[in-house]
Amino acid sequence: MTIRYDGRVAVITGAGNGLGRSHALLLASRGAKVVVNDLGGSVEGRGGSHSAADAVVREIQAAGGEAVANYDSVTTPEGGKAIIQSAYDAFGKVDILINNAGNNIQNSFRKMSVADFLAVVDVHLMGAVYCTQAAWQGMLDQQYGRIVMTTSAAGLFGGHGLGNYAAAKIALVGLMNTLKLEGRNRGITVNCIAPMATTRMSQEAMDDKTGPLLQPEFVSAVVALLCAEDHTGSGDIISAGAGYYSKIGILEGAGVCLGTEQAPTPDALAARWGEICDLSQAQPFDDAFSSVAHSMRKVLRGLKG
Ligand code: NAI
């Protein structure tokens, strides 16, 4: 079986460099018509130029594929609408949306300005919100969509000096977890990748040994799978880099019930802290309701006992 995207239209934000460029080239090489969006600014997200998006469009066309460029910033509702509209104008619809555009302004939390915090949240989180919302109704109408959000190990596990970036990246997981429910039974899947790749954004953090192994193409392979028609899995967070692929989960431990007659003292909680924090029997939940219902079943079982 060969996964292809003939007849499919893909919008990829921030596709003028790094990972987005690689995703665009791969999907186009397998038949997708692609909107290559890129503001063309610096790693911090400042400035702008058409050259990054144009170069990727030329590469796709030279290889026999179909692509158009879009230079709007993802950071406004109007920008999100214009990016999606450029897919409608050129190709008539949007089947695949890869929210990939990203910037990075690092500083310790103590020194980070609110402006720099918001400048990163605006691209990673709100950029994904604006583009996804602009594409969402069309996907509902056609009962088909493949959406990939780009989260990060920094958001999932933390990273020094990355408070703005980490907050925005983990928020994408929350957005995915809701959209996976709202898109369910309507042909729309929503997944996250947590990539590792040597790009202009990450190169300073790379070492000589692993840096050359972390080519963006390894990440694009799994992004392409998540965008495939026959891949109906939704709500997954997939870590990918240099040939390594794994699922990252949000799990809840088995927990303890300490009685319902009166709230426990902090001391009583301290005495059971090891059990409360034990993840050895942790399990995932499909939605908030399932998690809460599971805990309440345990509480009610305790009352009966
Ligand atoms: P990159 O800097 O090579 O590419 C990011 C692209 O986004 C650039 O071309 C930039 O012009 C574009 N962009 C920035 N602000 C934009 C805006 N407002 N509107 C439209 N385009 C905009 O960096 P890379 O590494 O390819 O990053 C791609 C995504 O992967 C980002 O979301 C990043 O946070 C994420 N990521 C990357 C990791 C890595 O190891 N390279 C690790 C974890 C996450």
Side-chain angles (χ1 to χ4, degrees):
M1 185 183 73
T2 305
I3 292 172
R4 292 194 55 88
Y5 309 92
D6 302 298
R8 296 291 179 201
V9 177
V11 174
I12 304 165
T13 66
N17 287 291
L19 285 161
R21 168 183 168 273
S22 170
H23 305 336
L25 292 175
L26 181 55
L27 291 190
S29 76
R30 288 174 170 249
K33 295 172 183 150
V34 177
V35 173
V36 175
N37 158 263
D38 207 291
L39 178 69
S42 66
V43 168
E44 291 77 22
R46 299 194 177 105
S49 127
H50 290 190
S51 58
D54 285 345
V56 176
V57 168
R58 276 198 301 274
E59 263 187 279
I60 289 172
Q61 290 170 341
E66 276 189 75
V68 294
N70 170 281
Y71 318 107
D72 286 295
S73 173
V74 297
T75 53
T76 64
E78 296 73 30
K81 280 184 194 150
I83 292 165
I84 297 303
Q85 189 58 46
S86 63
Y88 275 88
D89 291 346
F91 306 124
K93 61 174 178 168
V94 176
D95 299 302
I96 295 167
L97 171 61
I98 304 175
N99 289 304
N100 164 83
N103 62 341
N104 191 8
I105 307 173
Q106 292 193 27
N107 220 336
S108 66
F109 191 61
R110 184 171 66 85
K111 294 187 195 149
M112 188 172 298
S113 67
V114 169
D116 283 350
F117 201 102
L118 289 174
V120 168
V121 170
D122 280 347
V123 177
H124 292 274
L125 173 59
M126 296 316 296
V129 170
Y130 298 139
C131 293
T132 305
Q133 201 162 40
W136 190 251
Q137 186 62 53
M139 288 184 173
L140 288 173
D141 292 345
Q142 69 189 11
Q143 297 276 295
Y144 187 83
R146 295 284 177 269
I147 298 174
V148 177
M149 309 280 185
T150 310
T151 185
S152 163
L156 297 162
F157 303 115
H160 195 94
L162 296 170
N164 50 358
Y165 183 87
K169 288 304 202 186
I170 192 70
L172 291 170
V173 174
L175 180 62
M176 171 193 75
N177 279 334
T178 289
L179 296 187
K180 90 180 171 197
L181 302 172
E182 296 186 13
R184 183 173 289 168
N185 303 325
R186 307 181 88 160
I188 305 173
T189 67
V190 190
N191 290 287
C192 279
I193 53 151
M196 296 170 280
T198 300
T199 63
R200 62 177 205 166
M201 187 191 286
S202 65
Q203 61 196 5
E204 273 177 29
M206 298 298 178
D207 62 54
D208 293 347
K209 216 173 194 174
T210 55
L213 305 177
L214 288 160
Q215 296 304 313
E217 288 75 16
F218 288 88
V219 176
S220 300
V222 75
V223 169
L225 175 59
L226 296 172
C227 294
E229 189 170 330
D230 289 340
H231 189 91
T232 52
S234 193
D236 288 326
I237 307 167
I238 304 296
S239 173
Y244 171 84
Y245 303 93
S246 68
K247 175 164 163 154
I248 295 176
I250 296 179
L251 308 174
E252 183 171 338
V256 295
C257 293
L258 297 182
T260 53
E261 285 191 5
Q262 59 183 36
T265 62
D267 316 79
L269 287 172
R272 305 287 296 273
W273 198 242
E275 286 168 82
I276 291 168
C277 294
D278 179 13
L279 288 177
S280 61
Q281 294 175 62
Q283 65 178 98
F285 289 97
D286 188 47
D287 62 8
F289 177 78
S290 316
S291 159
V292 173
H294 177 81
S295 335
M296 288 308 106
R297 271 197 302 276
K298 285 190 173 185
V299 168
L300 295 176
R301 263 203 307 273
L303 284 182
K304 276 189 206 150

